Amino acid sequence: MSSRFRLGLLTLFATITLFVFFLASGPDEAIPNDNHNEQVHLAKCARPLPFSANPPAAVNLWASLSVPEISAIQSWLEAPERDLNLTRASNAALSDNIIAHIETYYPPKAEALAYLDGASAPDKFARVTIQHGGQETPVIRNYLVGPLPVSDQTTIERLTGIYHESDIPFNARLFDYFVEVRSLSKIVTPELSDALEDLFGATMRGYENDTLIVSASGPFSFDGTTRKTWLSFRRNVAGAWLHPINFWQYVDFSGTDLSLWKTSKVVYNHQIFASNAEFLESYRNGTLVRSPKQPDTQDYSWTSRKRVGEPRDLDHLPGPRSVSFAGLRFRVDRARQYVSWMGWSMYLGFDRDMGLSLWDINMKGERIIYQLAPQEAMAQYAGNDPMQQSSAWQDRHFGMGLAVRNMLPGYDCPHEAVYLPATTFSPLGTVVVDRAVCIFEQDSGRPVSRHTGYMEGEFGAVKGYVLTVRSISVFDYMFHIDGTIEVRVSASGYLQGGYWEPLLQEGYGGKIRDASMGNLHDHVINYKVDLDIAGLENSLLQTSTIQETVTEPWFDDDDEWGNTVIQQKIIKRIIDTEDEALLNYPTNFQGHYSIVNQNRTNAWGVPRGYAIHGGYSPIHNTVVGSRRLLNNANWARYNLAVSLRKESEPSSSSMWNMNLPGKPTVDFHKFFNGENITQDDLVVWINVGTHHLPQAEDSPNTKTTVAMSSFLLTPLNYFDSDISLDSVNAILLHPPSKPGENWGFDDYGVNQGHTCLPETPPPFEYLDPKVYGADGQLKEAGGVEEMRKVAESYHRIKFEL
């Protein structure tokens, strides 16, 4: 063996040994190197705390009521001199009068704008909803209470001007879990429980270890004369929504006399029975056709969110995270819920029905939007069973704001996000969520503008930063440095699953397990956008393109191209009346709609405006004419609509609309009565959503990558040029003086290589919201089961004795 060969073997052995040592040490083991030693000497980054903001007005007129304010209002209402005969909801029966809701009543816009311009603050009022179950004819009414704080000057009066129907039928009321569930539980008799255990191997006896629960369909009522629902029975496991069994009950729970509540129909395996007794008779005499056994009825783990499968390569390492090395670049006034960033500024509001809203949105000191707020979220289902065919949800009824819970730091929002709290009222207590809203800035990962050029001043890029204001469900308000506002909704959660039967359910959804399906449905979410473009006098501009054929004298007939040209041409039209302003996006998106001020122009004489662009999945409702959405969700029929702004039309829906499709308290179509909408204060109602055709990958949960929709508001001649060019987070390249040399550049003095040691994120923690009683005192925390009852309401009902 030659010495060269022996040396080669030794070198190879040493290399393999070092390689094996590296693998054994693992990627988390520190390998000494020069770079690592250098990092020790880096300074620590500034803490990710926002700078203090300076709101233009001392009071946020749209802020939620505080716990002390709510407590004071409730105490004032309960005083004998009010003669309201109120009972605390925690001790009430349906036949009692209870306070269903207390929240800020927004001041008239004229008064709010006057205050922002320097006038005195308008008086503060609260909207109060009382369910008068103790009246001879039970009814729901709204009241205006104020001025606040409570004093000798405070009064109460009926509030009727903001609804088309002033008295709300009692059968459209909010669901009282503790009263209604216990009463509905009596409908499931011991004999029925025995049959369910035999047929499905599951129990519903009112015990803690019951293996069946139910969920109820909605709406409950057509016009308020009755209150009925289909109960869908499901297995009481993680992800119960995806484990229905082949059994349904139709229950009448109208009125306040619980003795009159009854089951009026039972459906089992597509056999229909007029009562529990009739079903049990068929079960006992052997005429019942039993549902076939399903292979997956013993394995319920697939609807859990516990990790499954083999870990992916390098996935044991934490992924990249956003760090503001030089400190946060936005300002926050936590007490007044005010945020500013890069010329943008806004107040935040939060309510029980729909959660986060934004007010007085300014860019460089000029108001662009007075109010930007979600209005309603509907979901209409299809299927071949009573539950799915009866479901047309409107989430304002349940209270999307009330359902908000603390965000998961590092998962729902980046580690350095700033969190703001929210306070909402429920009949069982005022809920305070400390991490209801998060605010963060991120590099979008792409420049907002970019060009490669060779003349001096042509070559450069502007970094694309975005400020996001977010609440969960994922409602994002995203502000860009060029003046664009992007509104995005991303949904994730469990499907309302149906019971899969091969021939009977084909075409109504997707099979996701042997006995489970995801049912076809539409989601449509409506937003109110009160744009004020260079003032209150605005018009609706329709811009579209057409194809034209023109003959021009500079082209010759005998030229190979001929003398005709086929090209596009822009057509602009001001839409004059509300009746013309129920709109869908142009075919092929050939054009857009915009709000412009015809009397205010930019430097080039062009009317200033903001354009509305459909973003990802800009849909409207597919099914029109269903009695379950007859007149209570007319807003969902369009991509957008524009109406005159009126104090009597503050929202496109209400918390009772879901249960009143035949006689809604707010009928959106009544906003549109032929009035002129040129150069006036206008509101744009914009829809986003998804046509959800479920698939196996929707289990256990839908994903935000697909279940996402958006719209954008972009400057349309609002500025004289691209305002993002004022950003110093940009670069301009200069051609080299000699071929082959590096290009020179100007980074405007911003050190993009600034590096420091980021602060270690705090350990993960998650806390439940705080709940305060009517006396304003913090209540003792309840168990998980109690929280589940309140949060899931009649979507997951566990029967009790």
Side-chain angles (χ1 to χ4, degrees), residues 500-562:
W500 174 258
E501 296 171 280
L503 297 178
L504 297 171
Q505 294 288 8
E506 191 67 49
Y508 296 114
K511 178 181 179 181
I512 58 177
R513 273 303 191 275
D514 288 308
S516 298
M517 66 179 292
N519 286 74
L520 172 67
H521 59 282
D522 277 355
H523 289 284
V524 188
I525 300 96
N526 185 239
Y527 281 87
K528 178 181 181 180
V529 187
D530 183 355
L531 287 151
D532 290 346
I533 304 301
L536 300 182
E537 297 76 29
N538 293 170
S539 298
L540 172 59
L541 173 66
Q542 179 188 40
T543 302
S544 57
T545 64
I546 62 170
Q547 179 175 301
E548 69 169 5
T549 302
V550 294
T551 302
E552 299 292 0
W554 43 80
F555 297 126
D556 297 326
D557 283 338
D558 56 359
D559 187 83
E560 60 182 305
W561 303 108

Side-chain angles (χ1 to χ4, degrees), residues 19-57:
F19 181 68
V20 171
F21 173 78
F22 174 76
L23 290 179
S25 68
D28 292 329
E29 301 272 344
I31 307 297
N33 59 67
D34 291 340
N35 290 337
H36 177 76
N37 292 332
E38 287 176 4
Q39 290 175 3
V40 174
H41 303 293
L42 287 175
K44 286 189 175 181
C45 298
R47 295 190 65 195
L49 299 174
F51 289 94
S52 297
N54 185 27

Side-chain angles (χ1 to χ4, degrees), residues 8 23 27 40 123 135 467 577 673-674 751:
L23 290 179
V40 174
D123 287 337
Q135 291 191 178
L467 184 82
T577 67
N673 54 5
N751 181 10

Side-chain angles (χ1 to χ4, degrees), residues 292-365:
K293 295 288 185 183
Q294 296 287 353
D296 65 0
T297 54
Q298 299 304 315
D299 177 16
Y300 312 120
S301 63
W302 60 275
T303 53
S304 164
R305 286 189 53 85
K306 293 180 179 178
R307 204 197 67 78
V308 296
E310 289 296 319
R312 303 187 188 192
D313 182 37
L314 299 182
D315 197 30
H316 64 289
L317 299 174
R321 72 172 190 262
S322 176
V323 176
S324 297
F325 286 101
L328 301 185
R329 303 197 310 163
F330 56 91
R331 299 177 182 272
V332 175
D333 186 317
R334 183 181 175 87
R336 286 174 281 192
Q337 302 271 291
Y338 178 83
V339 179
S340 64
W341 172 79
M342 298 291 154
W344 288 108
S345 65
M346 69 213 73
Y347 289 93
L348 274 57
F350 201 95
D351 62 33
R352 174 255 177 218
D353 286 4
M354 295 301 294
L356 177 64
S357 56
L358 306 184
W359 298 82
D360 190 36
I361 300 174
N362 276 242
M363 181 55 171
K364 295 192 170 186

Side-chain angles (χ1 to χ4, degrees), residues 771-791:
V771 180
Y772 294 81
D775 57 1
Q777 298 301 307
L778 183 64
K779 298 173 72 172
E780 184 177 345
V784 171
E785 185 62 28
E786 293 302 306
M787 289 188 292
R788 171 183 164 186
K789 291 175 183 178
V790 174

